[in-house]
Amino acid sequence: MLKTTSLFRDRVPRHCFAVLVQQTDQALLHNHARSLHQDTHSLEQSFLESVTLVEVGPRDGLQNEKQKVDVATKVQLVEGLVSAGLKQVEVTSFVSPKWVPQLADAAEVYKKITKQDGVKYPVLVPNMKGLEAAMEAGATEVAVFTAASEQFCRKNTNCSIEDSLKRIQDVVQCAMEKDIAVRGYVSCVVGCPYQGHVKPGAAAEIARRLFDMGCYEVSMGDTIGVGTPASVAEMFKACRDVMPVDRVAAHMHDTYGQALANLLAALGLGVRVIDSAVAGLGGCPFARGATGNVATEDVVYMLNGLGVKHGVDMNKLLDVNEFISHALNKPNSSRAARALLAARAVNG
């Protein structure tokens, strides 16, 4: 065991290793195994309900791409996802091109999308300037963001958590006065590339404050994908203690292959909203080593197997997968999509 741990330490960045050790600690697993088992009894009842999928590929998925993606491709991606049945597609981010050059065309992309009734097209805004630009483009829903890690917040937003919350308060207040809905994001809810372990209560407290400000929903993000069902369950339980669980969403990255298992744990605790990205697109410009979001195709495949309603047409989603993977000239990161596309090729 000592040799394996030593080898693992040599291959994993020090900041991630500390988090991983804590999450695989046998005491943690023992402490939470019983409570996870107790929560499982409600799983069948939970799965009788529908789950809402929030597609974040066009924004969170593309923001980390090095090659320039043109406006027409972004518009076709969004419209394709809506055609596949997704009712909430995060389009872009009105952030400074200096920080995220890929999304410098936010206003043009948003305006060119043919909007469909009953579909939400939220955009991310970092501050009042971003909100003003989003409103000018015609946005009717925005998302704001902060982090549960002080160090990550300073790297990502150039300010402390407290200052970021003050900034968000101004945005939320202005947006609500204009009848613009606001969704909240909390990054690094179980682990941070700089800080290491993040306490569940710390993440939950940030979520509560965003909810109290007026965010109708708060998405909890495992930004670097180090969470396990035990650590993620602990975090969502802490959220459930301070705010309505039906106002909490799960945003899981799949760096260590734990995303689907983590989502299953979240569903067992009453979470009903899942963020995902077509073809598993994504990453974070401010979190080295973080891989993509959990793939929408993988989530849909899992939900289909559980008999959960979600409203997404898998065949049409696979068409979108092929389109964007070809446009980006990169491998498809969805395991379910790879298998289904291979079968479709054989069967014609």
Side-chain angles (χ1 to χ4, degrees):
M1 180 66 179
L2 181 60
K3 290 182 179 179
T4 302
T5 303
S6 177
L7 179 61
F8 195 38
R9 182 187 291 111
D10 290 340
R11 292 185 177 181
V12 178
R14 184 178 299 174
H15 57 263
C16 289
F17 182 78
V19 180
L20 291 171
V21 169
Q22 285 183 307
Q23 291 176 336
T24 54
D25 182 82
Q26 292 302 311
L28 176 64
L29 295 176
H30 176 76
N31 289 340
H32 296 299
R34 179 176 299 177
S35 58
L36 282 171
H37 175 73
Q38 291 171 345
D39 284 313
T40 303
H41 80 279
S42 64
L43 223 49
E44 290 185 5
Q45 291 88 337
S46 299
F47 287 152
L48 294 176
E49 305 172 18
S50 63
V51 168
T52 298
L53 297 181
V54 178
E55 174 61 47
V56 299
R59 193 278 301 173
D60 198 17
L62 294 183
Q63 70 176 4
N64 210 38
E65 292 296 322
K66 296 292 187 287
Q67 63 173 303
K68 178 64 178 175
V69 182
D70 62 43
V71 171
T73 298
K74 293 176 180 178
V75 170
Q76 188 172 343
L77 173 60
V78 172
E79 293 180 348
L81 289 164
V82 172
S83 178
L86 286 147
K87 299 299 184 184
Q88 194 161 339
V89 181
E90 191 173 62
V91 174
T92 186
S93 174
F94 286 81
V95 66
S96 170
K98 174 184 175 182
W99 298 110
V100 188
Q102 184 65 257
L103 304 181
D105 53 11
E108 185 179 2
V109 170
Y110 190 86
K111 290 176 181 179
K112 286 191 173 181
I113 293 167
T114 300
K115 312 298 191 300
Q116 302 295 328
D117 292 340
V119 178
K120 295 180 179 180
Y121 299 88
V123 298
L124 197 71
V125 297
N127 48 37
M128 285 298 297
K129 185 176 181 179
L131 175 62
E132 290 165 1
M135 291 191 296
E136 185 176 341
T140 57
E141 179 171 327
V142 300
V144 294
F145 58 95
T146 187
S149 157
E150 188 69 43
Q151 292 183 56
F152 186 84
C153 193
R154 290 182 182 277
K155 292 279 187 179
N156 195 18
T157 65
N158 295 311
C159 67
S160 66
I161 292 176
E162 197 61 37
D163 286 343
S164 76
L165 289 171
K166 291 177 182 177
R167 182 186 299 173
I168 289 170
Q169 176 70 74
D170 293 338
V171 172
V172 172
Q173 183 176 342
C174 181
M176 293 178 69
E177 289 173 355
K178 303 291 185 180
D179 292 324
I180 294 175
V182 185
R183 191 176 193 243
Y185 280 108
V186 183
S187 299
C188 295
V189 295
V190 292
C192 166
Y194 312 107
Q195 172 183 314
H197 176 66
V198 174
K199 294 181 179 179
E205 175 60 14
I206 303 300
R208 181 197 66 77
R209 292 182 67 177
L210 289 176
F211 180 69
D212 288 348
M213 283 181 194
C215 293
Y216 74 86
E217 184 175 276
V218 182
S219 179
M220 306 301 287
D222 179 14
T223 309
I224 57 174
V226 294
T228 65
S231 62
V232 165
E234 178 90 344
M235 180 272 299
F236 279 119
K237 285 180 181 179
C239 291
R240 194 172 61 176
D241 288 342
V242 297
M243 62 182 289
V245 70
D246 63 353
R247 298 298 181 177
V248 179
H251 184 114
M252 301 288 117
H253 285 241
D254 205 28
T255 310
Y256 292 94
Q258 299 294 294
L260 287 179
N262 292 343
L263 290 175
L264 201 60
L267 289 172
L269 290 167
V271 174
R272 296 293 174 271
V273 182
I274 294 173
D275 295 356
S276 61
V278 62
L281 295 175
C284 178
F286 308 100
R288 290 183 60 187
T291 58
N293 295 276
V294 64
T296 305
E297 301 87 340
D298 293 355
V299 176
V300 168
Y301 185 84
M302 179 183 76
L303 295 178
N304 284 345
L306 294 167
V308 182
K309 295 179 181 179
H310 49 73
V312 179
D313 184 317
M314 178 65 96
N315 283 324
K316 290 183 178 179
L317 185 62
L318 291 175
D319 292 339
V320 181
N321 176 299
E322 286 190 302
F323 162 74
I324 194 60
S325 296
H326 177 75
L328 298 176
N329 191 29
K330 65 183 298 182
N332 163 23
S333 295
S334 166
R335 284 167 289 184
R338 289 199 299 268
L340 291 168
L341 287 168
R344 190 160 78 173
V346 171
N347 298 326

